[in-house]
């Protein structure tokens, strides 16, 4: 059975006190979270060290980084190395989020290197893909998303792909309140799963979790998560509200 995952991407939000309070709120409400789902939070990088200590005794919460570079150490001012993340017991890392592709010009080649480096250090990449509104409107969105995957992720060998999580996040749904309908999301998730099977076989296709992201909230998560190829969510805004994030975890 595929892992169910609910991951919170806090993006560049919350000052240190607010972030720590939110984490403590989640920890205190452990019993309300879905014990069958993997709960992941991706706070801002400066908080990861302290957060790693705070969750050390609560390993039902896994930590993820929002970013990593592909080199272990050296003169790369401002970057985060997978070795550094590993030393803090960080389990997941986002790769290819649309905000990084757009604002920081991260291209397919860089993303492939990041995925590989993370896997080499036993950190699970959450590889994000998704199309802009104009691509959706022009009706070539299926090919567009498949190409994002083919270019960066599917160039890797099968054992590496088997260690990844994929997140489909249509850009027009991110932070807009306009979520994809469950049919729209399932269509792409189903295509991704089919492409995984065509490239890497049934076993890998049936084991890689595919998350949906883009205005996923407590009131639409159940419908989205009931789709056969949707294995959870990558949650932005709603993950900043402890009770909403918790509700979403119970939406399977
Ligand atoms: P929202 O849930 O705020 O739309 O953000 C989704 C997202 O980008 C998660 O990575």
């Amino acid at each position: 059975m595929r892992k169910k995952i609910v991951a919170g991407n806090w993006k560049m939000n919350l000052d240190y006190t607010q972030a720590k309070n939110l984490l403590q709120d989640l920890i205190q409400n452990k019993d309300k979270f879905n014990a069958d789902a993997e709960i992941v939070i991706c706070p801002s990088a400066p908080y990861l060290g302290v957060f790693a200590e705070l969750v050390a005794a609560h390993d039902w919460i896994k930590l993820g980084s929002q970013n990593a570079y592909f080199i272990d150490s050296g003169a790369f001012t401002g970057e985060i190395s997978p070795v550094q993340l590993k030393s803090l017991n960080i389990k997941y890392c986002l790769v290819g989020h649309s905000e990084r592709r757009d604002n920081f010009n991260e291209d397919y080649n860089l993303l492939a290197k990041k995925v590989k480096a993370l896997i080499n250090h036993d950190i699970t990449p959450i590889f994000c893909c998704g199309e802009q509104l104009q691509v959706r409107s022009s009706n070539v969105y299926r090919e567009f998303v498949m190409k994002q995957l083919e270019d960066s992720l599917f160039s890797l060998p099968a054992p590496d792909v088997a260690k990844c999580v994929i997140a489909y996040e249509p850009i027009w749904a991110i932070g807009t309140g306009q979520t994809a309908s469950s049919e729209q999301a399932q269509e792409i998730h189903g295509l991704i799963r089919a492409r995984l099977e065509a490239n890497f076989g049934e076993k890998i296709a049936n084991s890689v979790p595919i998350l949906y992201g883009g205005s996923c909230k407590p009131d639409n998560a159940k419908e989205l998560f009931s789709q056969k190829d949707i294995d959870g969510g990558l949650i932005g805004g709603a993950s900043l509200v402890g009770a909403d994030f918790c509700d979403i975890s119970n939406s399977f």
Side-chain angles (χ1 to χ4, degrees):
M1 209 169 77
R2 286 191 299 274
K3 216 181 230 185
K4 298 176 173 56
I5 301 174
V6 175
N9 175 8
W10 291 3
K11 308 193 179 182
M12 199 176 69
N13 292 302
L14 308 177
D15 69 20
Y16 179 54
T17 306
Q18 292 167 328
K20 219 165 60 164
N21 287 344
L22 177 54
L23 176 65
Q24 268 152 355
D25 179 49
L26 303 183
I27 290 172
Q28 277 157 16
N29 283 291
K30 175 186 183 202
D31 293 347
K32 298 188 186 146
F33 275 84
N34 182 349
D36 293 332
E38 177 104 312
I39 307 298
V40 181
I41 60 158
C42 306
S44 295
Y47 308 154
L48 284 171
V50 175
F51 276 31
E53 287 176 15
L54 291 172
V55 301
H58 306 279
D59 76 345
W60 63 278
I61 298 186
K62 303 286 189 293
L63 287 181
S65 177
Q66 296 176 18
N67 187 28
Y69 200 48
F70 64 90
I71 288 178
D72 286 356
S73 66
F76 298 95
T77 302
E79 286 297 337
I80 305 167
S81 132
V83 174
Q84 295 171 328
L85 295 176
K86 172 88 177 157
S87 71
L88 291 173
N89 202 24
I90 305 301
K91 298 292 188 199
Y92 289 88
C93 183
L94 305 182
V95 178
H97 193 284
S98 57
E99 288 151 18
R100 293 211 59 87
R101 290 180 194 256
D102 290 350
N103 299 325
F104 304 99
N105 300 320
E106 295 199 351
D107 68 12
Y108 71 94
N109 191 25
L110 176 66
L111 301 181
K113 288 181 185 164
K114 288 185 172 199
V115 171
K116 184 77 186 161
L118 289 164
I119 288 170
N120 287 345
H121 294 290
D122 296 319
I123 298 168
T124 302
I126 301 180
F127 184 85
C128 306
C129 56
E131 78 287 358
Q132 300 89 339
L133 185 58
Q134 64 273 29
V135 176
R136 166 68 51 172
S137 315
S138 70
N139 230 16
V140 293
Y141 58 92
R142 301 177 193 85
E143 296 77 3
F144 182 91
V145 174
M146 291 308 123
K147 186 158 167 43
Q148 286 182 319
L149 291 166
E150 293 286 352
D151 284 349
S152 298
L153 194 61
F154 294 173
S155 59
L156 298 170
D160 288 349
V161 174
K163 293 179 184 148
C164 292
V165 171
I166 296 172
Y168 170 57
E169 298 204 301
I171 297 171
W172 46 272
I174 295 178
T176 59
Q178 189 201 339
T179 188
S181 69
S182 51
E183 294 78 20
Q184 286 173 318
Q186 169 55 33
E187 181 194 31
I188 298 294
H189 283 237
L191 285 173
I192 295 171
R193 183 111 34 230
R195 190 63 66 96
L196 278 168
E197 182 169 349
N199 288 14
F200 304 106
E202 197 181 340
K203 189 158 173 265
I204 289 179
N206 286 332
S207 69
V208 171
I210 309 176
L211 314 183
Y212 169 79
S215 299
C216 184
K217 314 266 182 220
D219 63 1
N220 57 31
K222 200 166 249 157
E223 160 110 35
L224 287 160
F225 295 178
S226 68
Q227 302 301 306
K228 88 177 178 32
D229 292 302
I230 301 185
D231 304 309
L234 180 54
I235 319 297
S239 72
L240 299 174
V241 179
D244 286 357
F245 189 54
C246 181
D247 278 356
I248 292 172
S249 84
N250 289 306
S251 300
F252 292 96

